[in-house]
Amino acid sequence: MKKRLGKFELQIMKMIWSNGKASVRDVWERFYPEKKLAYTTIATLMKKLEEKGFLRHEEVDRTYIYYPLISQDGLSHGMLEDITDAFFSGSTADLVSMLIQKENLTESDLDKIQQMINEYRKGHGSQLG
């Protein structure tokens, strides 16, 4: 079974990725003005993230300092793979097709996508088949 992140868990992870590490208080102070989440809620979410294997902590002056065990790219790749498997039977082409059909893409977006495809082909030309 793959590990999943809830909305607030992902926001906590993004904050920790951007800072490298954080205490519960650091996260709570960042989110409280907007989200009005209790300190204990943040503490519980961070403990769950540690139990799921996304964070680890070290104790500094009786304060737990949490740091990530997985990179943002690693998590993004895993979540995208889950979506591709769950909704598109593993077909990346079907995923991309859905994005192109359903999103409001600009000419600039299409140009960037085409440039990425061209660069990928240059770098992987002999491996394509």
Side-chain angles (χ1 to χ4, degrees):
M1 184 169 159
K2 296 191 179 185
K3 300 172 189 170
R4 306 253 185 238
L5 287 183
K7 176 183 169 184
F8 290 123
E9 289 175 324
L10 184 56
Q11 289 177 341
I12 289 168
M13 288 301 296
K14 286 181 177 181
M15 192 242 175
I16 293 174
W17 283 318
S18 69
N19 293 316
K21 59 185 176 180
S23 67
V24 172
R25 179 162 300 283
D26 295 332
V27 174
W28 178 74
E29 287 175 349
R30 169 99 182 267
F31 289 114
Y32 183 76
E34 180 185 339
K35 306 283 189 242
K36 304 293 186 210
L37 294 175
Y39 180 92
T40 53
T41 300
I42 298 294
T44 299
L45 287 169
M46 291 175 75
K47 183 176 170 125
K48 285 183 180 181
L49 283 166
E50 186 171 29
E51 290 169 0
K52 290 180 177 182
F54 292 102
L55 294 177
R56 183 165 290 153
H57 76 270
E58 60 188 13
E59 194 170 340
V60 178
D61 297 327
R62 294 188 296 175
T63 300
Y64 282 8
I65 304 297
Y66 290 86
Y67 56 92
L69 292 178
I70 186 170
S71 71
Q72 189 167 2
D73 284 347
L75 181 62
S76 297
H77 179 64
M79 291 175 75
L80 187 56
E81 198 172 86
D82 288 349
I83 290 168
T84 304
D85 289 344
F87 294 102
F88 303 100
S89 302
S91 171
T92 304
D94 288 349
L95 169 68
V96 172
S97 175
M98 170 71 85
L99 290 171
I100 289 172
Q101 291 173 25
K102 299 298 179 189
E103 296 299 318
N104 296 324
L105 298 176
T106 65
E107 283 297 319
S108 176
D109 291 334
L110 292 171
D111 290 343
K112 287 178 187 174
I113 292 168
Q114 187 61 58
Q115 182 180 358
M116 285 186 266
I117 291 169
N118 293 342
E119 288 174 11
Y120 182 84
R121 282 188 168 145
K122 282 182 193 173
H124 296 84
S126 62
Q127 299 170 6
L128 296 175

